[in-house]
Amino acid sequence: MSFSGQVREELAKHISPARHCCIAELAAFIGMCGTVVINRFDQCSIKIHTENFLVARKVFTLIEKTFNIKTDIAVRRNTVKKSVSYAVVVRRHGDAVRILQAVKMLDEHEGRAEELHAVNPLVVQQTCCRRAFLRGAFQASGSMSDPRKSYHFEIVCSTEVMAGQIRGLICSFSMDAKIVPRKRSYIVYLKEGSQIVDMLNVMEAHVALMELENVRILKEMRNSVNRQVNCETANINKTVSAAVKQVEDITYLRERIGFENMPDNLVEAALARLENPNATLKELGESLTPPVGKSGINHRLRKLSELADKVRREQGGLL
């Protein structure tokens, strides 16, 4: 099972004890993947479509627990795509009206349907109800990438209005959600690992949250080790390249002008480098008598390189 499927499975098991939160979550299901069918006798019914059995069972449970209404579940199999889709159906007009009025998608006085693909602010006034609505929205049309590969959380909306409202609900929890159009849909998404962790916490997917945090910790440790190794490798390469250049300069000076024509302190440093081509500056300085500090030995080696360059110029050699 994918990580996204694990999150959806965990959320499907979460049934809020508060009626107003159940209504908010059900409002998300109806708004995101539901339709209201009105027949020629002006009688309405509700259909909520999903390709996930756990989501269908969650909707069934929410309606039964909150309204004591029995629903039907229709199953459709697509043999070509080898997929199964489910539809939770509220057939009786009176039951459908009760549900639509509770989720504020039907005016109680005038009896007219509101825009389905929008959430009434009255449904998500409380923080817990905003959590429940986002939980339902993710189960209805959300997905997450495998955190071991990348960090990406998204909820697919059919209208720009709904996308804007869901973005607003997410941002009310101090997150910075973005919207991008994709074909005929609008995608509300998060890309930062820390914000996706916060989102899982908001939706109360605590098991998935801990798994994601473990993945993040391992990735951060691996990245930290890689950075340290790369830094140390770069330093070693730099040190080796400098030592090779120093040995070449010292050898050139010995062959061209001889150590007897050079200052004693530079000769001492030159011999130390020839004897210890792989030693660090600190180790070279400590090998001298008396010992010389890191800056002191570096100064002498730099003088040797400058002297070698000067001799090359004077004798027509190549730098």
Side-chain angles (χ1 to χ4, degrees):
M1 182 184 294
S2 66
F3 186 78
S4 185
Q6 293 176 29
V7 175
R8 189 173 281 104
E9 182 178 5
E10 182 179 354
L11 295 179
K13 296 176 182 178
H14 187 289
I15 304 293
S16 175
R19 186 174 188 273
H20 48 83
C21 290
C22 290
I23 290 174
E25 190 168 356
L26 188 58
F29 283 117
I30 296 175
M32 302 295 291
C33 58
T35 56
V36 174
V37 180
I38 302 176
N39 63 19
R40 59 195 178 105
F41 302 108
D42 236 12
Q43 302 289 299
C44 69
S45 61
I46 302 172
K47 288 185 178 180
I48 299 174
H49 305 268
T50 178
E51 294 182 355
N52 189 298
F53 172 73
L54 294 174
V55 172
R57 188 175 65 183
K58 176 70 173 289
V59 173
F60 178 92
T61 304
L62 284 174
I63 294 175
E64 183 179 37
K65 177 181 183 296
T66 310
F67 300 98
N68 195 27
I69 293 174
K70 297 293 184 180
T71 60
D72 298 328
I73 298 182
V75 181
R76 176 175 295 179
R77 300 181 185 277
N78 188 321
T79 55
V80 177
K81 296 182 179 179
K82 297 182 180 180
S83 62
V84 181
S85 62
Y86 306 89
V88 182
V89 186
V90 180
R91 299 190 184 280
R92 293 182 64 247
H93 173 74
D95 293 340
V97 168
R98 279 179 58 201
I99 294 172
L100 292 174
Q101 287 178 343
V103 298
K104 306 303 180 186
M105 292 181 180
L106 190 70
D107 189 282
E108 296 184 20
H109 303 291
E110 300 180 16
R112 58 183 177 82
E114 300 290 343
E115 171 61 58
L116 271 188
H117 300 287
V119 55
N120 192 309
L122 294 175
V123 177
V124 289
Q125 281 184 315
Q126 301 184 62
T127 301
C128 58
C129 292
R130 293 199 296 273
R131 289 175 178 269
F133 186 91
L134 290 172
R135 186 163 57 241
F138 178 81
Q139 292 173 85
S141 60
S143 64
M144 284 183 63
S145 62
D146 187 336
R148 289 182 290 269
K149 299 178 181 177
S150 63
Y151 298 129
H152 183 80
F153 172 99
E154 70 177 35
I155 296 176
V156 182
C157 304
S158 58
T159 69
E160 190 173 5
V161 173
M162 177 58 96
Q165 290 183 319
I166 288 181
R167 178 185 180 277
L169 291 175
I170 294 176
C171 291
S172 71
F173 290 97
S174 301
M175 287 176 276
D176 186 21
K178 307 290 186 183
I179 298 176
V180 62
R182 183 191 296 166
K183 296 182 180 180
R184 297 181 180 180
S185 303
Y186 295 87
I187 313 301
V188 184
Y189 69 92
L190 296 168
K191 295 290 286 185
E192 293 184 14
S194 59
Q195 293 197 11
I196 295 175
V197 168
D198 292 340
M199 189 66 200
L200 290 175
N201 185 49
V202 165
M203 298 189 301
E204 299 179 89
H206 299 124
V207 175
L209 184 154
M210 293 303 297
E211 184 175 343
L212 176 55
E213 281 287 49
N214 288 337
V215 172
R216 287 184 67 216
I217 290 171
L218 288 174
K219 288 177 75 172
E220 288 176 5
M221 287 179 61
R222 190 178 298 115
N223 291 338
S224 177
V225 170
N226 287 339
R227 283 194 298 270
Q228 187 172 353
V229 169
N230 290 339
C231 182
E232 290 178 354
T233 301
N235 288 337
I236 291 171
N237 290 338
K238 184 178 178 181
T239 301
V240 170
S241 297
V244 170
K245 177 67 165 57
Q246 290 161 6
V247 170
E248 289 176 354
D249 289 340
I250 292 168
T251 304
Y252 180 81
L253 290 172
R254 183 178 61 186
E255 294 174 351
R256 294 289 179 169
I257 64 174
F259 285 166
E260 64 275 9
N261 298 314
M262 295 166 51
D264 292 342
N265 63 335
L266 296 186
V267 172
E268 185 182 23
L271 292 174
R273 172 52 80 194
L274 291 176
E275 292 172 1
N276 304 281
N278 298 320
T280 63
L281 292 177
K282 182 179 179 181
E283 292 168 345
L284 278 182
E286 291 175 349
S287 69
L288 300 181
T289 306
V292 177
K294 184 177 177 180
S295 61
I297 192 68
N298 185 54
H299 175 74
R300 295 187 190 183
L301 291 172
R302 190 170 63 249
K303 286 291 186 181
L304 285 167
S305 292
E306 291 172 357
L307 180 58
D309 291 340
K310 180 181 177 182
V311 173
R312 287 190 183 100
R313 285 194 298 271
E314 291 174 351
Q315 297 187 8
L318 296 177
L319 292 177

mmCIF file with all atom_site columns, all heavy atoms in Angstrom, residues 302-319:
data_model
loop_
_atom_site.group_PDB
_atom_site.id
_atom_site.type_symbol
_atom_site.label_atom_id
_atom_site.label_alt_id
_atom_site.label_comp_id
_atom_site.label_asym_id
_atom_site.label_entity_id
_atom_site.label_seq_id
_atom_site.pdbx_PDB_ins_code
_atom_site.Cartn_x
_atom_site.Cartn_y
_atom_site.Cartn_z
_atom_site.occupancy
_atom_site.B_iso_or_equiv
_atom_site.pdbx_formal_charge
_atom_site.auth_seq_id
_atom_site.auth_comp_id
_atom_site.auth_asym_id
_atom_site.auth_atom_id
_atom_site.pdbx_PDB_model_num
ATOM 1   N N   . ARG A 1 302 ? 54.633 29.078 1.120   1.00 0.00 ? 302 ARG A N   1
ATOM 2   C CA  . ARG A 1 302 ? 54.195 30.072 0.148   1.00 0.00 ? 302 ARG A CA  1
ATOM 3   C C   . ARG A 1 302 ? 55.382 30.827 -0.434  1.00 0.00 ? 302 ARG A C   1
ATOM 4   O O   . ARG A 1 302 ? 55.434 31.118 -1.638  1.00 0.00 ? 302 ARG A O   1
ATOM 5   C CB  . ARG A 1 302 ? 53.207 31.036 0.801   1.00 0.00 ? 302 ARG A CB  1
ATOM 6   C CG  . ARG A 1 302 ? 52.532 31.953 -0.219  1.00 0.00 ? 302 ARG A CG  1
ATOM 7   C CD  . ARG A 1 302 ? 51.372 32.740 0.368   1.00 0.00 ? 302 ARG A CD  1
ATOM 8   N NE  . ARG A 1 302 ? 51.814 33.630 1.420   1.00 0.00 ? 302 ARG A NE  1
ATOM 9   C CZ  . ARG A 1 302 ? 51.528 33.469 2.718   1.00 0.00 ? 302 ARG A CZ  1
ATOM 10  N NH1 . ARG A 1 302 ? 50.822 32.416 3.114   1.00 0.00 ? 302 ARG A NH1 1
ATOM 11  N NH2 . ARG A 1 302 ? 51.972 34.315 3.631   1.00 0.00 ? 302 ARG A NH2 1
ATOM 12  N N   . LYS A 1 303 ? 56.391 31.142 0.423   1.00 0.00 ? 303 LYS A N   1
ATOM 13  C CA  . LYS A 1 303 ? 57.613 31.798 -0.039  1.00 0.00 ? 303 LYS A CA  1
ATOM 14  C C   . LYS A 1 303 ? 58.373 30.924 -1.041  1.00 0.00 ? 303 LYS A C   1
ATOM 15  O O   . LYS A 1 303 ? 58.921 31.415 -2.031  1.00 0.00 ? 303 LYS A O   1
ATOM 16  C CB  . LYS A 1 303 ? 58.524 32.117 1.163   1.00 0.00 ? 303 LYS A CB  1
ATOM 17  C CG  . LYS A 1 303 ? 58.048 33.281 2.015   1.00 0.00 ? 303 LYS A CG  1
ATOM 18  C CD  . LYS A 1 303 ? 58.164 34.598 1.255   1.00 0.00 ? 303 LYS A CD  1
ATOM 19  C CE  . LYS A 1 303 ? 57.833 35.792 2.142   1.00 0.00 ? 303 LYS A CE  1
ATOM 20  N NZ  . LYS A 1 303 ? 57.922 37.056 1.369   1.00 0.00 ? 303 LYS A NZ  1
ATOM 21  N N   . LEU A 1 304 ? 58.374 29.603 -0.798  1.00 0.00 ? 304 LEU A N   1
ATOM 22  C CA  . LEU A 1 304 ? 59.032 28.683 -1.717  1.00 0.00 ? 304 LEU A CA  1
ATOM 23  C C   . LEU A 1 304 ? 58.343 28.684 -3.087  1.00 0.00 ? 304 LEU A C   1
ATOM 24  O O   . LEU A 1 304 ? 59.003 28.684 -4.132  1.00 0.00 ? 304 LEU A O   1
ATOM 25  C CB  . LEU A 1 304 ? 59.028 27.261 -1.134  1.00 0.00 ? 304 LEU A CB  1
ATOM 26  C CG  . LEU A 1 304 ? 60.015 26.997 0.015   1.00 0.00 ? 304 LEU A CG  1
ATOM 27  C CD1 . LEU A 1 304 ? 59.697 25.678 0.698   1.00 0.00 ? 304 LEU A CD1 1
ATOM 28  C CD2 . LEU A 1 304 ? 61.463 27.000 -0.508  1.00 0.00 ? 304 LEU A CD2 1
ATOM 29  N N   . SER A 1 305 ? 57.012 28.704 -3.065  1.00 0.00 ? 305 SER A N   1
ATOM 30  C CA  . SER A 1 305 ? 56.266 28.725 -4.325  1.00 0.00 ? 305 SER A CA  1
ATOM 31  C C   . SER A 1 305 ? 56.505 30.027 -5.080  1.00 0.00 ? 305 SER A C   1
ATOM 32  O O   . SER A 1 305 ? 56.674 30.026 -6.307  1.00 0.00 ? 305 SER A O   1
ATOM 33  C CB  . SER A 1 305 ? 54.768 28.545 -4.046  1.00 0.00 ? 305 SER A CB  1
ATOM 34  O OG  . SER A 1 305 ? 54.500 27.243 -3.556  1.00 0.00 ? 305 SER A OG  1
ATOM 35  N N   . GLU A 1 306 ? 56.528 31.152 -4.348  1.00 0.00 ? 306 GLU A N   1
ATOM 36  C CA  . GLU A 1 306 ? 56.791 32.437 -4.984  1.00 0.00 ? 306 GLU A CA  1
ATOM 37  C C   . GLU A 1 306 ? 58.197 32.475 -5.579  1.00 0.00 ? 306 GLU A C   1
ATOM 38  O O   . GLU A 1 306 ? 58.410 33.006 -6.682  1.00 0.00 ? 306 GLU A O   1
ATOM 39  C CB  . GLU A 1 306 ? 56.612 33.564 -3.956  1.00 0.00 ? 306 GLU A CB  1
ATOM 40  C CG  . GLU A 1 306 ? 55.160 33.764 -3.524  1.00 0.00 ? 306 GLU A CG  1
ATOM 41  C CD  . GLU A 1 306 ? 55.036 34.752 -2.376  1.00 0.00 ? 306 GLU A CD  1
ATOM 42  O OE1 . GLU A 1 306 ? 56.099 35.234 -1.880  1.00 0.00 ? 306 GLU A OE1 1
ATOM 43  O OE2 . GLU A 1 306 ? 53.898 35.062 -1.962  1.00 0.00 ? 306 GLU A OE2 1
ATOM 44  N N   . LEU A 1 307 ? 59.160 31.911 -4.842  1.00 0.00 ? 307 LEU A N   1
ATOM 45  C CA  . LEU A 1 307 ? 60.540 31.864 -5.333  1.00 0.00 ? 307 LEU A CA  1
ATOM 46  C C   . LEU A 1 307 ? 60.639 30.997 -6.592  1.00 0.00 ? 307 LEU A C   1
ATOM 47  O O   . LEU A 1 307 ? 61.325 31.355 -7.556  1.00 0.00 ? 307 LEU A O   1
ATOM 48  C CB  . LEU A 1 307 ? 61.463 31.323 -4.242  1.00 0.00 ? 307 LEU A CB  1
ATOM 49  C CG  . LEU A 1 307 ? 62.949 31.205 -4.592  1.00 0.00 ? 307 LEU A CG  1
ATOM 50  C CD1 . LEU A 1 307 ? 63.515 32.577 -5.005  1.00 0.00 ? 307 LEU A CD1 1
ATOM 51  C CD2 . LEU A 1 307 ? 63.740 30.628 -3.416  1.00 0.00 ? 307 LEU A CD2 1
ATOM 52  N N   . ALA A 1 308 ? 59.931 29.864 -6.600  1.00 0.00 ? 308 ALA A N   1
ATOM 53  C CA  . ALA A 1 308 ? 59.943 28.977 -7.769  1.00 0.00 ? 308 ALA A CA  1
ATOM 54  C C   . ALA A 1 308 ? 59.348 29.688 -8.982  1.00 0.00 ? 308 ALA A C   1
ATOM 55  O O   . ALA A 1 308 ? 59.871 29.585 -10.098 1.00 0.00 ? 308 ALA A O   1
ATOM 56  C CB  . ALA A 1 308 ? 59.169 27.699 -7.461  1.00 0.00 ? 308 ALA A CB  1
ATOM 57  N N   . ASP A 1 309 ? 58.259 30.417 -8.775  1.00 0.00 ? 309 ASP A N   1
ATOM 58  C CA  . ASP A 1 309 ? 57.637 31.159 -9.876  1.00 0.00 ? 309 ASP A CA  1
ATOM 59  C C   . ASP A 1 309 ? 58.584 32.233 -10.419 1.00 0.00 ? 309 ASP A C   1
ATOM 60  O O   . ASP A 1 309 ? 58.674 32.463 -11.632 1.00 0.00 ? 309 ASP A O   1
ATOM 61  C CB  . ASP A 1 309 ? 56.327 31.804 -9.405  1.00 0.00 ? 309 ASP A CB  1
ATOM 62  C CG  . ASP A 1 309 ? 55.250 30.766 -9.123  1.00 0.00 ? 309 ASP A CG  1
ATOM 63  O OD1 . ASP A 1 309 ? 55.376 29.636 -9.631  1.00 0.00 ? 309 ASP A OD1 1
ATOM 64  O OD2 . ASP A 1 309 ? 54.279 31.087 -8.397  1.00 0.00 ? 309 ASP A OD2 1
ATOM 65  N N   . LYS A 1 310 ? 59.296 32.890 -9.490  1.00 0.00 ? 310 LYS A N   1
ATOM 66  C CA  . LYS A 1 310 ? 60.244 33.932 -9.896  1.00 0.00 ? 310 LYS A CA  1
ATOM 67  C C   . LYS A 1 310 ? 61.379 33.338 -10.736 1.00 0.00 ? 310 LYS A C   1
ATOM 68  O O   . LYS A 1 310 ? 61.758 33.901 -11.778 1.00 0.00 ? 310 LYS A O   1
ATOM 69  C CB  . LYS A 1 310 ? 60.807 34.616 -8.649  1.00 0.00 ? 310 LYS A CB  1
ATOM 70  C CG  . LYS A 1 310 ? 61.801 35.715 -8.963  1.00 0.00 ? 310 LYS A CG  1
ATOM 71  C CD  . LYS A 1 310 ? 62.346 36.326 -7.668  1.00 0.00 ? 310 LYS A CD  1
ATOM 72  C CE  . LYS A 1 310 ? 63.392 37.390 -7.973  1.00 0.00 ? 310 LYS A CE  1
ATOM 73  N NZ  . LYS A 1 310 ? 63.978 37.970 -6.737  1.00 0.00 ? 310 LYS A NZ  1
ATOM 74  N N   . VAL A 1 311 ? 61.909 32.192 -10.305 1.00 0.00 ? 311 VAL A N   1
ATOM 75  C CA  . VAL A 1 311 ? 62.992 31.554 -11.051 1.00 0.00 ? 311 VAL A CA  1
ATOM 76  C C   . VAL A 1 311 ? 62.505 31.112 -12.428 1.00 0.00 ? 311 VAL A C   1
ATOM 77  O O   . VAL A 1 311 ? 63.221 31.233 -13.424 1.00 0.00 ? 311 VAL A O   1
ATOM 78  C CB  . VAL A 1 311 ? 63.542 30.340 -10.241 1.00 0.00 ? 311 VAL A CB  1
ATOM 79  C CG1 . VAL A 1 311 ? 64.546 29.559 -11.084 1.00 0.00 ? 311 VAL A CG1 1
ATOM 80  C CG2 . VAL A 1 311 ? 64.192 30.823 -8.940  1.00 0.00 ? 311 VAL A CG2 1
ATOM 81  N N   . ARG A 1 312 ? 61.287 30.597 -12.499 1.00 0.00 ? 312 ARG A N   1
ATOM 82  C CA  . ARG A 1 312 ? 60.745 30.180 -13.785 1.00 0.00 ? 312 ARG A CA  1
ATOM 83  C C   . ARG A 1 312 ? 60.656 31.367 -14.744 1.00 0.00 ? 312 ARG A C   1
ATOM 84  O O   . ARG A 1 312 ? 60.985 31.242 -15.938 1.00 0.00 ? 312 ARG A O   1
ATOM 85  C CB  . ARG A 1 312 ? 59.343 29.570 -13.595 1.00 0.00 ? 312 ARG A CB  1
ATOM 86  C CG  . ARG A 1 312 ? 59.339 28.182 -12.952 1.00 0.00 ? 312 ARG A CG  1
ATOM 87  C CD  . ARG A 1 312 ? 57.945 27.574 -13.035 1.00 0.00 ? 312 ARG A CD  1
ATOM 88  N NE  . ARG A 1 312 ? 57.897 26.267 -12.373 1.00 0.00 ? 312 ARG A NE  1
ATOM 89  C CZ  . ARG A 1 312 ? 57.414 26.058 -11.144 1.00 0.00 ? 312 ARG A CZ  1
ATOM 90  N NH1 . ARG A 1 312 ? 56.935 27.094 -10.433 1.00 0.00 ? 312 ARG A NH1 1
ATOM 91  N NH2 . ARG A 1 312 ? 57.417 24.858 -10.630 1.00 0.00 ? 312 ARG A NH2 1
ATOM 92  N N   . ARG A 1 313 ? 60.202 32.489 -14.252 1.00 0.00 ? 313 ARG A N   1
ATOM 93  C CA  . ARG A 1 313 ? 60.089 33.669 -15.102 1.00 0.00 ? 313 ARG A CA  1
ATOM 94  C C   . ARG A 1 313 ? 61.462 34.130 -15.588 1.00 0.00 ? 313 ARG A C   1
ATOM 95  O O   . ARG A 1 313 ? 61.647 34.493 -16.753 1.00 0.00 ? 313 ARG A O   1
ATOM 96  C CB  . ARG A 1 313 ? 59.378 34.795 -14.342 1.00 0.00 ? 313 ARG A CB  1
ATOM 97  C CG  . ARG A 1 313 ? 57.882 34.619 -14.188 1.00 0.00 ? 313 ARG A CG  1
ATOM 98  C CD  . ARG A 1 313 ? 57.225 35.915 -13.748 1.00 0.00 ? 313 ARG A CD  1
ATOM 99  N NE  . ARG A 1 313 ? 57.710 36.354 -12.441 1.00 0.00 ? 313 ARG A NE  1
ATOM 100 C CZ  . ARG A 1 313 ? 57.186 36.004 -11.265 1.00 0.00 ? 313 ARG A CZ  1
ATOM 101 N NH1 . ARG A 1 313 ? 56.121 35.190 -11.262 1.00 0.00 ? 313 ARG A NH1 1
ATOM 102 N NH2 . ARG A 1 313 ? 57.669 36.451 -10.133 1.00 0.00 ? 313 ARG A NH2 1
ATOM 103 N N   . GLU A 1 314 ? 62.420 34.120 -14.645 1.00 0.00 ? 314 GLU A N   1
ATOM 104 C CA  . GLU A 1 314 ? 63.761 34.604 -14.995 1.00 0.00 ? 314 GLU A CA  1
ATOM 105 C C   . GLU A 1 314 ? 64.456 33.675 -15.994 1.00 0.00 ? 314 GLU A C   1
ATOM 106 O O   . GLU A 1 314 ? 65.225 34.103 -16.837 1.00 0.00 ? 314 GLU A O   1
ATOM 107 C CB  . GLU A 1 314 ? 64.624 34.744 -13.737 1.00 0.00 ? 314 GLU A CB  1
ATOM 108 C CG  . GLU A 1 314 ? 64.174 35.874 -12.828 1.00 0.00 ? 314 GLU A CG  1
ATOM 109 C CD  . GLU A 1 314 ? 64.941 35.908 -11.525 1.00 0.00 ? 314 GLU A CD  1
ATOM 110 O OE1 . GLU A 1 314 ? 65.706 34.939 -11.279 1.00 0.00 ? 314 GLU A OE1 1
ATOM 111 O OE2 . GLU A 1 314 ? 64.800 36.874 -10.770 1.00 0.00 ? 314 GLU A OE2 1
ATOM 112 N N   . GLN A 1 315 ? 64.186 32.381 -15.877 1.00 0.00 ? 315 GLN A N   1
ATOM 113 C CA  . GLN A 1 315 ? 64.862 31.405 -16.734 1.00 0.00 ? 315 GLN A CA  1
ATOM 114 C C   . GLN A 1 315 ? 63.993 30.997 -17.936 1.00 0.00 ? 315 GLN A C   1
ATOM 115 O O   . GLN A 1 315 ? 64.328 30.063 -18.653 1.00 0.00 ? 315 GLN A O   1
ATOM 116 C CB  . GLN A 1 315 ? 65.246 30.164 -15.926 1.00 0.00 ? 315 GLN A CB  1
ATOM 117 C CG  . GLN A 1 315 ? 66.246 30.505 -14.808 1.00 0.00 ? 315 GLN A CG  1
ATOM 118 C CD  . GLN A 1 315 ? 66.781 29.265 -14.094 1.00 0.00 ? 315 GLN A CD  1
ATOM 119 O OE1 . GLN A 1 315 ? 66.527 28.146 -14.521 1.00 0.00 ? 315 GLN A OE1 1
ATOM 120 N NE2 . GLN A 1 315 ? 67.557 29.474 -13.045 1.00 0.00 ? 315 GLN A NE2 1
ATOM 121 N N   . GLY A 1 316 ? 62.861 31.689 -18.074 1.00 0.00 ? 316 GLY A N   1
ATOM 122 C CA  . GLY A 1 316 ? 62.005 31.431 -19.246 1.00 0.00 ? 316 GLY A CA  1
ATOM 123 C C   . GLY A 1 316 ? 61.193 30.171 -19.135 1.00 0.00 ? 316 GLY A C   1
ATOM 124 O O   . GLY A 1 316 ? 60.707 29.655 -20.151 1.00 0.00 ? 316 GLY A O   1
ATOM 125 N N   . GLY A 1 317 ? 61.016 29.644 -17.909 1.00 0.00 ? 317 GLY A N   1
ATOM 126 C CA  . GLY A 1 317 ? 60.183 28.449 -17.732 1.00 0.00 ? 317 GLY A CA  1
ATOM 127 C C   . GLY A 1 317 ? 58.705 28.777 -17.777 1.00 0.00 ? 317 GLY A C   1
ATOM 128 O O   . GLY A 1 317 ? 58.305 29.957 -17.785 1.00 0.00 ? 317 GLY A O   1
ATOM 129 N N   . LEU A 1 318 ? 57.870 27.757 -17.852 1.00 0.00 ? 318 LEU A N   1
ATOM 130 C CA  . LEU A 1 318 ? 56.417 27.941 -17.868 1.00 0.00 ? 318 LEU A CA  1
ATOM 131 C C   . LEU A 1 318 ? 55.884 27.905 -16.458 1.00 0.00 ? 318 LEU A C   1
ATOM 132 O O   . LEU A 1 318 ? 56.313 27.098 -15.638 1.00 0.00 ? 318 LEU A O   1
ATOM 133 C CB  . LEU A 1 318 ? 55.765 26.816 -18.690 1.00 0.00 ? 318 LEU A CB  1
ATOM 134 C CG  . LEU A 1 318 ? 56.129 26.795 -20.180 1.00 0.00 ? 318 LEU A CG  1
ATOM 135 C CD1 . LEU A 1 318 ? 55.477 25.588 -20.833 1.00 0.00 ? 318 LEU A CD1 1
ATOM 136 C CD2 . LEU A 1 318 ? 55.692 28.077 -20.876 1.00 0.00 ? 318 LEU A CD2 1
ATOM 137 N N   . LEU A 1 319 ? 54.923 28.786 -16.203 1.00 0.00 ? 319 LEU A N   1
ATOM 138 C CA  . LEU A 1 319 ? 54.275 28.793 -14.877 1.00 0.00 ? 319 LEU A CA  1
ATOM 139 C C   . LEU A 1 319 ? 53.358 27.587 -14.743 1.00 0.00 ? 319 LEU A C   1
ATOM 140 O O   . LEU A 1 319 ? 52.748 27.206 -15.719 1.00 0.00 ? 319 LEU A O   1
ATOM 141 C CB  . LEU A 1 319 ? 53.497 30.096 -14.696 1.00 0.00 ? 319 LEU A CB  1
ATOM 142 C CG  . LEU A 1 319 ? 54.343 31.360 -14.573 1.00 0.00 ? 319 LEU A CG  1
ATOM 143 C CD1 . LEU A 1 319 ? 53.428 32.571 -14.472 1.00 0.00 ? 319 LEU A CD1 1
ATOM 144 C CD2 . LEU A 1 319 ? 55.252 31.315 -13.366 1.00 0.00 ? 319 LEU A CD2 1
#
